[in-house]
Amino acid sequence: MTQADVYLIRRIAGGEVYKLTSALRVGRKEGCEILLTDIDASRLHARLTVEESGAHIEDLNSTNGTFVNDTRIAGKRLLAAGDSLRFVEEQFEVALESSQERRAAWQPPKVGTVGIEGWRRRVEQESSGTDPALTPVDQPCLVVLAGMGPGRRIELLAPPRSAKKWTIGSDADRDIRFMEVGVSGFHATFSTDGRHWKIVDEMSKNGVIVNKEPVLERFLGHGDRIGLGPVVCQLLLPGGKVVGGDAGAPRAVVRPPSAPSGAFARLSAAIGTMLGRVLRWRR
């Protein structure tokens, strides 16, 4: 940890963020910097501190315990960015904000006040600067450009030429989880049929934006930038090529055709015929 780094404690439900620049008391007692509402939490449950060696959490002999990464701790414990904290049923996460990240930090708005145009501008802002799409990759992946953990790579592992689907959202059971305020619980579905890549908006509150354009469903190509509320990612594919312009300029991308394949069209027609027969029979 450098002097310019600041630890952040983020409440999962609600999204409140607490900067750990001095000791923070956690509990139900009025006056605690992090106030717990669960009736089974202790009045003085735990204490968070920051020292030369990093951030620490200490359980203050609470009745129901303090958990780090779902393991109950005794006494004091050193924390790392990405650790999860739990006090009874209330959950938090630990993040590390560098001075560089703070200069480009997104300030969480009140939910519903930004709208699709605000997120569109967010994607436009992230279209400047160094383009990760210029970096060759061995595995398909998403690179986080904006949101918590910029630069993080999420590998999209699937058997060669096989179909696979990933759910995206803030809910705990999502395959790809973003916990920023503005990401819906079930925000989108990301899928591949082994050759083509596609994203579908699952009726999210703040929408899906691909290369500055709001979409409900879109086939994707190497280098496409995807906005999910306040989160902006870029899709990187092995052997992908981005066409034209400098790194910061808007780009045309090599993308698969959006028309369904012949096999898919035949399958759709067969399903339609079967449904028509069922409806006629029921009449």
Side-chain angles (χ1 to χ4, degrees):
M1 175 180 174
T2 68
Q3 190 174 8
D5 293 333
V6 174
Y7 280 95
L8 304 176
I9 309 298
R10 180 181 179 277
R11 190 188 299 265
I12 300 301
E16 297 99 327
V17 177
Y18 307 88
K19 287 195 175 185
L20 185 54
T21 54
S22 58
L24 299 177
R25 296 166 296 173
V26 183
R28 288 192 298 110
K29 183 179 179 180
E30 186 176 349
C32 286
E33 286 78 20
I34 300 180
L35 191 63
L36 302 179
T37 58
D38 195 306
I39 194 170
D40 292 323
S42 298
R43 287 172 57 78
L44 278 176
H45 199 106
R47 181 189 297 113
L48 288 153
T49 56
V50 60
E51 303 172 11
E52 187 66 30
S53 57
H56 294 78
I57 189 167
E58 181 181 5
D59 183 74
L60 300 178
N61 297 316
S62 64
T63 302
N64 291 303
T66 297
F67 293 78
V68 177
N69 300 327
D70 288 326
T71 300
R72 186 167 183 169
I73 67 169
K76 202 172 186 179
R77 168 80 174 266
L78 180 66
L79 296 174
D83 282 348
S84 64
L85 309 178
R86 180 165 61 83
F87 312 100
V88 192
E89 295 298 327
E90 297 188 57
Q91 299 184 48
F92 298 77
E93 67 169 349
V94 181
L96 184 62
E97 182 186 47
S98 69
S99 57
Q100 180 179 5
E101 289 169 345
R102 284 200 298 279
R103 285 195 294 270
W106 168 72
Q107 299 298 321
K110 294 180 180 179
V111 175
T113 61
V114 176
I116 197 72
E117 288 303 319
W119 302 134
R120 192 209 301 260
R121 288 193 295 272
R122 178 70 168 165
V123 176
E124 290 176 355
Q125 291 168 4
E126 295 303 328
S127 295
S128 60
T130 303
D131 195 337
L134 300 178
T135 305
V137 293
D138 297 324
Q139 291 284 350
C141 66
L142 290 173
V143 178
V144 178
L145 303 180
M148 289 192 175
R152 178 166 62 102
R153 292 198 174 201
I154 302 168
E155 290 192 347
L156 303 169
L157 301 178
R161 304 189 70 79
S162 298
K164 187 165 181 179
K165 184 181 293 185
W166 296 262
T167 59
I168 305 174
S170 59
D171 286 347
D173 59 348
R174 295 295 156 229
D175 301 312
I176 300 174
R177 190 181 183 194
F178 297 112
M179 294 181 287
E180 288 83 344
V181 176
V183 177
S184 297
F186 185 13
H187 200 107
T189 300
F190 200 80
S191 64
T192 179
D193 62 2
R195 296 176 56 225
H196 305 151
W197 295 82
K198 184 171 71 172
I199 192 164
V200 177
D201 185 358
E202 300 291 351
M203 303 298 290
S204 63
K205 184 178 183 65
N206 288 309
V208 173
I209 298 173
V210 177
N211 299 332
K212 310 177 188 178
E213 178 185 351
V215 301
L216 294 177
E217 182 175 336
R218 175 66 60 88
F219 280 95
L220 300 169
H222 175 75
D224 279 351
R225 293 176 185 246
I226 305 162
L228 306 159
V231 175
V232 180
C233 298
Q234 187 166 37
L235 175 63
L236 303 187
L237 300 174
K241 292 182 180 180
V242 178
V243 180
D246 296 328
R251 297 174 180 275
V253 299
V254 178
R255 68 176 79 241
S258 57
S261 64
F264 182 78
R266 289 192 296 273
L267 177 61
S268 298
I271 292 173
T273 301
M274 291 175 62
L275 287 174
R277 289 174 179 173
V278 169
L279 290 175
R280 286 196 297 272
W281 177 79
R282 293 187 66 182
R283 289 174 186 168

